[in-house]
């Protein structure tokens, strides 16, 4: 992949990671019990609020660090599909699901292409492959 594409993927990964980390953190800071109650009020099990918030925080951190980018992004795709169809679709495009759709599409991009630039996951994989190559030589 060219350097421009890797830089673009890095920017997408970092921004989406920051967005999800922030959204998840706000859920905890504002009282996750309130979010669970809201989930109940729209017909979703309240415990899903905890799963969503944890996924947003942990997923955001993982994306920022570049750990498990494709797997985390796939989970975020599912999260965004759920958010669009359970909450925002009825509201309409501009006032409803436009923002979530952007996060969904960026997450799909990261699932398909990954992001290796400044990625801890890439450093770990690279270190393991070098360690394996050294042990084969010895």
């Amino acid at each position: 992949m060219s350097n421009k594409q890797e830089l673009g993927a890095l920017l997408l990964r970092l921004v989406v990671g920051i967005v999800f980390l922030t959204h998840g953190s706000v859920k905890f800071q504002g009282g996750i019990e309130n979010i669970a109650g809201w989930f109940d009020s729209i017909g979703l099990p309240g415990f899903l609020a905890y799963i969503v918030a944890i996924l947003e925080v942990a997923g955001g951190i993982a994306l920022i660090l570049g750990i498990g980018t494709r797997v985390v992004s796939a989970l975020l795709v599912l999260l965004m599909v759920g958010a669009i169809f359970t909450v925002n679709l009825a509201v309409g495009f501009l006032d409803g699901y436009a923002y979530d759709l952007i996060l969904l599409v960026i997450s799909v991009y990261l699932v398909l292409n990954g992001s290796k630039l400044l990625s801890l996951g890439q450093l770990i994989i690279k270190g393991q492959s070098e360690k394996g190559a050294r042990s084969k030589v010895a």
Side-chain angles (χ1 to χ4, degrees), residues 49-106:
Y50 295 90
I51 294 171
V52 167
I54 290 168
L55 176 59
E56 288 176 341
V57 169
I61 292 169
L63 287 178
I64 291 166
L65 297 176
I67 299 171
T69 298
R70 290 180 183 208
V71 172
V72 169
S73 296
L75 293 171
L76 295 174
V77 165
L78 295 175
L79 183 66
M80 288 296 91
V81 168
I84 289 169
F85 283 103
T86 59
V87 179
N88 296 319
L89 193 62
V91 180
F93 182 71
L94 284 180
D95 293 329
Y97 64 93
Y99 179 69
D100 289 343
L101 184 62
I102 291 168
L103 293 173
L104 169 69
V105 171
I106 294 171

Side-chain angles (χ1 to χ4, degrees), residues 1 9 69-71 73-74 77 104-116:
M1 199 180 282
T69 298
R70 290 180 183 208
V71 172
S73 296
V77 165
L104 169 69
V105 171
I106 294 171
S107 296
V108 167
Y109 175 88
L110 291 171
V111 169
L112 297 174
N113 297 293
S115 174
K116 295 177 182 176

Side-chain angles (χ1 to χ4, degrees), residues 11-79:
L11 293 173
L12 292 174
R13 189 185 88 220
L14 291 175
V15 169
V16 169
I18 291 167
V19 167
F20 278 107
L21 174 60
T22 304
H23 277 271
S25 297
V26 166
K27 284 177 177 65
F28 285 111
Q29 291 170 351
I32 190 69
E33 301 83 17
N34 295 331
I35 303 296
W38 179 75
F39 271 50
D40 282 329
S41 76
I42 63 169
L44 294 172
F47 75 88
L48 283 179
Y50 295 90
I51 294 171
V52 167
I54 290 168
L55 176 59
E56 288 176 341
V57 169
I61 292 169
L63 287 178
I64 291 166
L65 297 176
I67 299 171
T69 298
R70 290 180 183 208
V71 172
V72 169
S73 296
L75 293 171
L76 295 174
V77 165
L78 295 175
L79 183 66

